[in-house]
């Protein structure tokens, strides 16, 4: 393999739908309370898309920001990897929809389904595609409209999820050492029943009965997911650090998947990192699945927490189960 770094993040961007839904708003329709949600998850509000806001529409804003920050135009993009579990359509891919919205054609584009670690998976795939000569400038998007697959009457899931989009332009690395230092991906499909949508795919196509039974919406065994998440996140931090040839004291900032503050705290503890070195913004967005890491990256830069030269570790887990991590020099 070529010596790393092969790829670096030349520009990032993020966007959320307009409507903000606070915990207090949810109290009106669910048997829950702001106190319970904050104490058990750390979440205070999330964004829900309205009818005129498609996944493509707010992903376009994130993508345009990332492309502009990289000092490029849409025509410079060789390919698009769009990580999502909530595509605008079953067919064709949202990546192709985004390509059209960007006003370009000809480069490759495809969707990647890896749930929450989708953006981390996308970075690893983009790096590999650069390695084999399939592009020098690749747009990786992580974006979701989880409100469209959440049972808004189920208090155990409705409080967790939100909508949002994040994007990054990955370019071939220069000689300044900036870029991806290590990647690690994993999965365990035997855990699928802990967090899944039972119907609506080709195994159980849409029907009136399926919709009546809500088999097209997320089902989750929260406590079991919690335990598996802590294990997957801990293993992912260990792997990413050792594959980069580093120790935890070399990590300047940890950006974990924003699912639950308690999972984040357990992950940081396992990695031997104080919470001052951990970026948390889930209070503003809830769990946005594949958008979570790029939304956090953008906020970390905006808030001055992530500065050039710092070593940052991204770590995520989610349905599948799938997990992954990336260490990069910013
Ligand atoms: N408001 C008030 N009470 C609630 C709520 C709520 N919103 N939800 C559940 N409860 C109740 C339960 O009914 C239960 O009551 P009981 O004791 O009378 O039976 C009690 O609170 C405790 O329930 P638990 O499920 O044990 O609560 P827990 O502390 O585990 O917190 C939570 C639940 C927040 C879901 C937690 O388990 C969690 O975060 N799990 C991980 C979920 C996750 O990260 N999923 C995303 C994965 S990423 C992806 O792929 C999308």
């Amino acid at each position: 393999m070529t010596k790393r770094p092969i790829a670096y993040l030349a520009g990032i961007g993020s966007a959320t739908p307009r409507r903000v839904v606070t915990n207090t708003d949810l109290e009106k329709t669910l048997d829950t309370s702001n106190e319970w949600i904050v104490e058990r998850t750390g979440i205070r509000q999330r964004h829900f898309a309205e009818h005129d806001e498609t996944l493509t529409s707010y992903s376009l804003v994130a993508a345009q920001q990332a492309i502009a920050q990289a000092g490029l135009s849409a025509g410079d993009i060789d390919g698009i990897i769009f990580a999502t579990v909530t595509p605008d359509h079953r067919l064709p891919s949202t990546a192709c929809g985004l390509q059209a919205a960007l006003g370009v054609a000809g480069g490759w584009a495809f969707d990647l389904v890896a749930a929450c670690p989708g953006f981390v998976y996308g970075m690893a795939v983009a790096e590999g595609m650069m390695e084999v000569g399939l592009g020098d400038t690749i747009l990786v998007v992580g974006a979701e409209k989880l409100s469209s697959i959440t049972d808004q009457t189920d208090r155990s899931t409705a409080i967790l999820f939100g909508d949002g989009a994040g994007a990054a332009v990955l370019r071939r690395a220069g000689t300044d050492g900036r870029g991806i230092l290590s990647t690690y991906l994993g999965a365990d499909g035997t855990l699928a029943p802990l967090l899944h949508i039972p119907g609506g795919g080709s195994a159980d196509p849409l029907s009136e009965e399926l919709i009546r039974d809500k088999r097209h919406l997320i089902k989750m065994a929260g406590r079991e997911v919690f335990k598996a998440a802590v294990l997957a996140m801990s293993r992912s931090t260990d792997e990413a650090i050792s594959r980069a040839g580093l120790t935890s004291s070399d990590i300047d900032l940890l950006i974990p998947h924003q699912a639950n503050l308690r999972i984040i705290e357990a992950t940081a503890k396992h990695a031997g990192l104080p919470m001052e070195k951990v970026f948390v913004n889930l209070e503003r967005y809830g769990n946005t699945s594949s958008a979570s890491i790029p939304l956090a990256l953008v906020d970390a830069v905006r808030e001055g927490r992530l500065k050039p030269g710092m070593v940052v570790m991204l770590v995520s887990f989610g349905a599948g189960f799938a997990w992954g991590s990336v260490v990069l020099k910013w």
Side-chain angles (χ1 to χ4, degrees):
M1 199 186 82
T2 314
K3 197 170 165 296
R4 275 174 159 147
I6 296 164
Y8 79 106
L9 272 64
I12 52 176
S14 67
T16 45
R18 294 181 299 272
R19 185 174 159 226
V20 172
V21 177
T22 64
N23 293 348
T24 314
D25 292 331
L26 294 181
E27 282 177 358
K28 291 172 196 146
T29 52
L30 287 169
D31 180 15
T32 190
S33 66
N34 175 49
E35 292 70 29
W36 193 97
I37 300 171
V38 172
E39 190 190 312
R40 300 289 179 123
T41 71
I43 299 164
R44 292 181 185 274
Q45 63 172 52
R46 70 288 291 147
H47 293 251
F48 283 174
E50 300 194 270
H51 276 301
D52 63 325
E53 294 173 301
T54 63
L55 192 62
T56 298
S57 71
Y58 50 90
S59 299
L60 177 64
V61 177
Q64 286 172 329
Q65 274 175 23
I67 292 167
Q69 197 181 90
L72 301 171
S73 63
D76 298 316
I77 302 295
D78 296 319
I80 302 173
I81 300 173
F82 198 119
T84 189
V85 294
T86 50
D88 277 335
H89 308 282
R90 295 281 302 277
L91 192 75
S93 70
T94 309
C96 286
L98 178 63
Q99 190 205 48
L102 284 166
V104 292
W108 48 262
F110 65 91
D111 285 4
L112 184 158
V113 182
C116 303
F119 186 79
V120 167
Y121 267 63
M123 286 178 70
V125 172
E127 187 196 38
M129 292 183 89
M130 271 186 212
E131 171 80 349
V132 297
L134 279 165
D136 292 321
T137 305
I138 299 176
L139 179 66
V140 180
V141 179
E144 303 290 356
K145 194 177 184 180
L146 294 178
S147 59
S148 69
I149 55 166
T150 304
D151 179 355
Q152 301 298 349
T153 67
D154 172 9
R155 68 178 181 174
S156 67
T157 53
I159 57 152
L160 297 175
F161 301 117
D163 302 337
V169 173
L170 270 70
R171 301 204 79 191
R172 201 168 280 283
T175 52
D176 58 2
R178 285 181 68 201
I180 296 174
L181 304 178
S182 73
T183 53
Y184 164 69
L185 305 177
D188 180 355
T190 65
L191 298 174
L194 296 183
L195 175 54
H196 69 150
I197 295 175
S202 59
D204 182 12
L206 279 180
S207 65
E208 280 179 30
E209 179 236 345
L210 174 141
I211 291 171
R212 204 175 45 242
D213 294 348
K214 298 186 176 177
R215 296 203 302 278
H216 60 305
L217 301 175
I218 294 177
K219 309 277 181 256
M220 183 181 76
R223 224 174 285 184
E224 287 73 18
V225 170
F226 190 100
K227 286 184 220 148
V230 173
L231 284 174
M233 296 278 273
S234 299
R235 184 169 167 194
S236 298
T237 57
D238 292 349
E239 285 286 344
I241 292 173
S242 75
R243 285 170 188 225
L246 302 173
T247 64
S248 64
S249 61
D250 297 313
I251 304 297
D252 297 310
L253 189 69
L254 170 66
I255 299 190
H257 174 44
Q258 309 284 314
N260 183 312
L261 185 57
R262 291 182 294 145
I263 296 174
I264 293 174
E265 286 168 347
T267 305
K269 191 172 172 203
H270 173 88
L273 291 166
M275 284 306 283
E276 299 83 68
K277 284 191 169 187
V278 182
F279 188 77
V280 178
N281 67 355
L282 90 169
E283 70 279 3
R284 303 201 279 276
Y285 306 110
N287 179 348
T288 56
S289 191
S290 65
S292 153
I293 295 267
L295 276 171
L297 261 176
V298 170
D299 284 2
V301 172
R302 265 187 206 146
E303 292 170 25
R305 296 279 308 277
L306 180 54
K307 298 191 184 105
M310 286 174 82
V311 175
V312 57
M313 176 162 58
L314 316 177
V315 55
S316 188
F317 75 94
F321 258 52
W323 56 85
S325 46
V326 170
V327 170
L328 65 149
K329 187 163 181 194
W330 194 249

